[in-house]
Amino acid sequence: AQKVTQAQTEISVVEKEDVTLDCVYETRDTTYYLFWYKQPPSGELVFLIRRNSFDEQNEISGRYSWNFQKSTSSFNFTITASQVVDSAVYFCALTESYNTDKLIFGTGTRLQVFP
Amino acid sequence: DSGVTQTPKHLITATGQRVTLRCSPRSGDLSVYWYQQSLDQGLQFLIQYYNGEERAKGNILERFSAQQFPDLHSELNLSSLELGDSALYFCASSPSQRLAGNEQFFGPGTRLTVL
């Protein structure tokens, strides 16, 4: 069955440190989609990135970067030079199957960035 | 601001009651999704509608029902409420341009408290 594991429950860093949030997934499909969402203290879920299983290129967006490795079933998220505004819960998610939008979410990683 | 609106923001009610949560998707989005976020279950997919038709169903209780109207707004009806239904209910929308794995943009959520 599809599963997303975010083993890090909580991470604390000091501003300007780099931090990597781990995501490991399980799926029986060869076609699937992976996502990262951010949930700041205000509560809403903010879309960060979508990646399909055929695109293993790493992606960088400003201070954010994502490392997708099919060989290890991982889709890790790195924040470079973290800022206090990055404090949030980050969720990794996987589509339930190749032909659906239904998302299976991990349990989330709470990131606290201290000044 | 994702462009998805949800009302009400907070709802406090008693066990056994029935409530209706409302969602307006982003302009042009045809799909609406409902998710439940609780401390013990995490983020769980409930149901998806596409252009008025039910497209996918998750772990939605029989006491819960949803619909999408011709103007594309959606309502989630929760009846015979129990203490365990207390949660944050999210609506998300997507243009659904792809068959699967579409990005979903989440509303601010409705926090339901059942006393």
Side-chain angles (χ1 to χ4, degrees):
Chain A
Q2 324 299 74
K3 187 178 176 184
V4 176
T5 301
Q6 294 181 256
Q8 303 152 309
T9 306
E10 188 160 342
I11 300 175
S12 295
V13 299
V14 176
E15 233 179 352
K16 297 184 185 173
E17 278 187 41
D18 298 347
V19 58
T20 295
L21 310 182
D22 297 333
C23 173
V24 174
Y25 62 91
E26 294 174 34
T27 179
R28 56 181 176 268
D29 295 317
T30 54
T31 301
Y32 52 90
Y33 303 88
L34 293 160
F35 299 80
W36 275 94
Y37 281 86
K38 173 183 179 180
Q39 187 173 36
S42 50
E44 75 276 19
L45 280 162
V46 180
F47 167 78
L48 295 178
I49 190 171
R50 170 192 181 274
R51 179 53 51 90
N52 74 51
S53 53
F54 296 108
D55 182 2
E56 284 195 74
Q57 277 195 338
N58 290 330
E59 179 148 342
I60 298 175
S61 176
R63 297 183 297 107
Y64 294 173
S65 63
W66 290 268
N67 184 330
F68 176 32
Q69 291 199 334
K70 284 177 77 169
S71 59
T72 55
S73 296
S74 65
F75 186 40
N76 296 336
F77 173 31
T78 298
I79 302 175
T80 303
S82 58
Q83 299 176 1
V84 172
V85 293
D86 296 326
S87 296
V89 180
Y90 291 86
F91 290 94
C92 181
L94 165 71
T95 44
E96 188 192 53
S97 68
Y98 69 94
N99 62 351
T100 182
D101 287 341
K102 177 181 171 181
L103 292 178
I104 307 296
F105 281 90
T107 50
T109 297
R110 180 178 299 278
L111 174 65
Q112 293 201 325
V113 182
F114 293 99
Chain B
D1 187 345
S2 68
V4 178
T5 60
Q6 290 187 248
T7 56
K9 198 171 173 63
H10 300 279
L11 200 47
I12 301 175
T13 188
T15 54
Q17 295 297 306
R18 173 189 166 95
V19 297
T20 297
L21 312 184
R22 185 188 167 100
C23 168
S24 292
R26 299 185 320 160
S27 177
D29 283 359
L30 297 177
S31 275
V32 168
Y33 313 78
W34 287 97
Y35 289 84
Q36 179 194 60
Q37 185 177 32
S38 62
L39 282 174
D40 52 346
Q41 301 279 348
L43 264 164
Q44 301 247 328
F45 170 84
L46 295 178
I47 197 163
Q48 176 196 358
Y49 278 82
Y50 175 78
N51 205 18
E53 302 281 329
E54 183 184 303
R55 176 166 273 191
K57 213 165 184 174
N59 297 326
I60 187 167
L61 300 171
E62 283 191 14
R63 301 184 285 109
F64 295 2
S65 65
Q67 54 184 326
Q68 186 180 28
F69 295 87
D71 67 352
L72 300 178
H73 90 271
S74 178
E75 292 180 357
L76 178 67
N77 300 296
L78 315 176
S79 61
S80 302
L81 285 167
E82 301 175 359
L83 295 177
D85 297 328
S86 295
L88 188 53
Y89 290 85
F90 284 108
C91 169
S93 76
S94 165
S96 290
Q97 290 167 338
R98 303 180 193 87
L99 190 62
N102 292 282
E103 299 93 333
Q104 297 173 35
F105 298 91
F106 283 73
T110 293
R111 183 164 295 283
L112 173 67
T113 302
V114 182
L115 300 175

